[in-house]
Amino acid sequence: MLMIFLISASKLFAQACPENIGFENGNFQNWKMYTGVTSIINSKNQVTLSEIPVASVGRHTILNNKILLDPYGNFPVIPKNGGNYSVKLGNSGTGNQAEGISYLINVPANRPEFTLTYQYAIVLEDPNHQPAEQPRFIARVKDVEKNQYIPCASFEYIATSTLPGFKKSTVSSTVIYKDWSPVTINLSGYQGKQLLIEFISADCTLGGHFGYAYVDVNNLCGDLIAGNTYCKSSDQLRVSGPSGFKDYNWFNEDRSVQYGSGQALTIKPTPPEGTKIFLDLIPYDGYGCPSTVSAVVHSVDYELQLLSKTTICQDAEIDLTSTDYILNKSPDFTYLVYADKDLTQLITGTTKVHENATYYVLATNYKGCESVASIDISVFDIANIIVKNPEPVCYTETVDLTKDEIYEGNLTDVSRSYYTDANASKVLANPSKINTSGRYFVKLVNTFNCSKILPVDVVINPKPLLKITNPSAVCFPGKIDLSSGNNFLGSDQDLILSYYSDVNLTKAVTDPKNINQSGTYYIKAINNKGCIVSDKIDVVVNELPVLVMTNPLPVCFPEKVDITNPSLYNGTTAGVTYSYFTDQALTTKVTNPKQVSESGNYYVKITNSSGCFVSGKVTVVVNPLPIIVLNKPKPIFDYDFIDLTSAEIVRGSKGYVKASYFEDALLRKPIADPTKVNKAGVYYIALENDKGCSIAGAIELNILPSPKIMVPTAFTPQKNNNNRLYPFFVSIQKLLSFKVYNKWGILVFQTDDMATSGWDGQLKTKLQPLETFSWFADGIDLLGGKYQSQGKTILIL
């Protein structure tokens, strides 16, 4: 009741303030705007402002978003019990900026008591500078005639953590804020004067910290004490004082009785007529002046009289504040209608009656007198008729709104008509066969011409959304899962699916998770509304290609095998692509399948045009060659023989079962008798293993001519040619001695130097006579054997 009283009192006791003082036009009409700077002059804070023609963007901001919160204080930027608009002065930028707005008020000459209420919220950084340097918010009122600010109506809020009502921001530890707070300024005694109200925000003077504020001015300017007048029928008096003070203390005239404390107070019982009430107003420290205001208690002899009851048509709109229902309506009173006896459910405008109900009317005059009365409103029986929403149907069916089954109540002498709009102006064309969901309206009219329009909701469940994506083709023996969710992406989530092999949906698929045959199948989908839809799905199970393989013939190293040879795959499906791998998992490709040089199992993969593939194993045999090692035999003289078939010749060779011997590198000329070779030269031996693989190597035979020491049978010491006697050597590596004897057996010459210049026919510097001489020679042959030879020679003069 107190809340209702305050709301009512604010309307009755208050009078309109100057136009747009609360920014309710959504602009700065009648306000002046300023920008400037804040600085220190003579150790004092000085705000210097200059008027600007239009609002500065970001510095003078009109706000109308009631759900927007301040980023630092998390409070609404528009007060909950304020108007639709507020102003933000300043911003969170820095640079020792200052902003201001002002409004020139002409106080009416007939208003000795005049109040102005504004609400403010402040956000300031507290950098802990000197007080004169701190961010601040200023609200003040100037007497224009005296060019002086009214002390008790002017306030300056300087950033400090000790400011009353301020809190620390949870966003920044250096920011303090104050949520919306109301302030009522007592401007009584200024009737007929001009007052300038100013609001100013300023950053810190050093330029590094911000300050901004929000302002909202009430659009009603009223008396200082509200509710001092009461109705004689009331047993209590509800009074309230102005906003924005720290303490409120209520007294009688001689202060012998303190009624109580607080901004609003209920005095019971009602003081006698003419009682004077005093209210002591105590401001916050440093923010106003203590003052005392008073009001005289008056009574008004008025008791609201209403019709006790009446009957109307259901949903009729009536004005319970009209003289049709108020029997003693007075122009001195304002009338409010409520739906409950506690007067908490206010009804604005006309009252639309849906059912039998009791309503309450509160009459209040501008002095605060209140009187409450009630009225019972009944509606005709047509109000008891209701329409039930018909059961939802599927998209293939219709709904009949004309069926009596969907109506409850007495339908006797009640006619029905059907519409598509709530005003019953658009006739429903076919109410018995509705095929579109929506809200329709049935108008009931009885014999009293009372009508009632009832909404009825028709639900035609839409066709279920069944989106089918054909599954990707698979290769036999792979199978397709018809029930996979990927096949139905984008479909409704509530579908229950079943699967069929015929379009008539009569042959159910036995195992829809394992489809191994290509074809068209059919899906039936039922949603949770029972609505059915069906569609087809195409399945492709591709056949595998046929791979027929023949292993290639073995080869001998270093011969290579071509596993791409088409002859290896006679009988394989035509038109496939081949790929070749070294592992059964088909992960490592053969580098050069045309020249495979190692024995082993290789794997061939064939892929048809559908992407289906099979693989098979092909075995490659590259037989190794025998290991041939040829040992060169010792040299011999040509009177001896070398046996090439000797085991010593091929000692160290391995893996052969046969040896062959040839005179030529092409192995075309076999050696006639490889056991008796006495001719020097290069011969060839071929070794062959049990796989028929052979390898040949060359072997060089050193067969030397028989050793000889030969001496000419005659020589002529006195001629130019053949004038020396010396031996000639064949296969002799060292001369042991060469001696020449005369016929008397006397040694005439000897040497062991194979390079000797020979005997010159002299003995002791005397030329020997013509005769026959004997010679003897000993030497070592090339194979290390000792060799001796002798003969005769004739010295010819």
Side-chain angles (χ1 to χ4, degrees), residues 36-49 96-99 124 127 129-138 140 149 155-159 200-207 209 211:
V37 296
T38 176
S39 58
I40 297 294
I41 298 178
N42 297 326
S43 302
K44 294 184 179 181
N45 181 272
Q46 180 71 46
V47 175
T48 304
L49 296 174
N96 68 310
Q97 293 181 335
E99 301 79 21
L124 303 171
H129 296 331
Q130 293 298 317
E133 300 170 338
Q134 293 278 79
R136 64 198 59 227
F137 169 66
I138 301 170
R140 58 194 180 191
Y149 288 104
F155 311 100
E156 185 171 14
Y157 303 88
I158 301 172
I200 299 168
S201 67
D203 297 338
C204 82
T205 59
L206 302 180
H209 302 90

Side-chain angles (χ1 to χ4, degrees), residues 439-455:
R439 171 162 284 191
Y440 299 89
F441 300 87
V442 181
K443 184 175 182 180
L444 307 173
V445 181
N446 66 4
T447 53
F448 297 100
N449 204 31
C450 288
S451 63
K452 181 180 183 180
I453 299 175
L454 298 176

